[in-house]
Amino acid sequence: MYFSKLLLKDFGKFHNRDINLKPGVNVVYGTRNAGKSTVADFEYATLYGIGTFPETEDDDLAHHKPMDGHGFSGKAYVIKDGDEYLVERSFRKHNMTTVSYTHLTLPTTSR
C-alpha cells in the first residue's frame, strides 16, 4: 500500500497543495518550517484521524489548523494491490468526517 497523491486542501501551512508520490521511498525535503512534518502528519491523520497523534496531549487540532483560518481538510489517493482508493477527511473539531471511495479505476497504459 502506498499514497499516490496527497491533496492538502487546508492543513497547516498548506492551501490547495497537491503532492504526487511514487511507489517506494519518497523523500520530502526543504528548509526549516517548509512543512515536511506537516506532510507526514497529514498522511498519519488521513489514515488514523487527527485525535490519535501519539506525541500530543491536549489539543491535537491546534498545531495543524490552517494558518489562514479556512477549511481544515484534505484528500489522499492510496493504492493497494493495484486498486486505488480515495480518502477524504474533514478535521474540523465539531464536524469531523471521513469519506472513502474504493476500487477506483486506474488508467491502463499500453506499450
Side-chain angles (χ1 to χ4, degrees):
M1 179 184 95
Y2 68 94
F3 288 105
S4 62
K5 185 174 188 174
L6 305 174
L7 299 111
L8 290 83
K9 182 163 173 49
D10 294 295
F11 194 87
K13 70 182 301 163
F14 296 107
H15 177 69
N16 290 331
R17 178 64 188 249
D18 293 356
I19 300 171
N20 292 301
L21 302 166
K22 297 180 179 176
V25 176
N26 289 265
V27 177
V28 177
Y29 64 94
T31 60
R32 184 177 179 162
N33 293 321
K36 302 175 297 291
S37 295
T38 301
V39 171
D41 288 346
F42 176 78
E43 290 175 326
Y44 185 94
T46 299
L47 292 176
Y48 304 108
I50 204 158
T52 62
F53 282 90
E55 73 278 359
T56 57
E57 295 176 7
D58 297 325
D59 188 3
D60 297 332
L61 301 170
H63 180 68
H64 301 288
K65 286 181 181 173
M67 291 183 168
D68 66 4
H70 295 98
F72 196 9
S73 63
K75 302 177 185 181
Y77 288 87
V78 179
I79 295 181
K80 182 176 185 313
D81 299 329
D83 291 320
E84 186 170 41
Y85 302 84
L86 171 62
V87 179
E88 294 183 70
R89 283 225 189 226
S90 170
F91 302 105
R92 286 246 176 237
K93 192 167 192 170
H94 299 292
N95 188 27
M96 287 190 187
T97 58
T98 304
V99 178
S100 62
Y101 303 93
T102 59
H103 302 295
L104 300 174
T105 304
L106 291 176
T108 57
T109 57
S110 57
R111 294 182 186 225

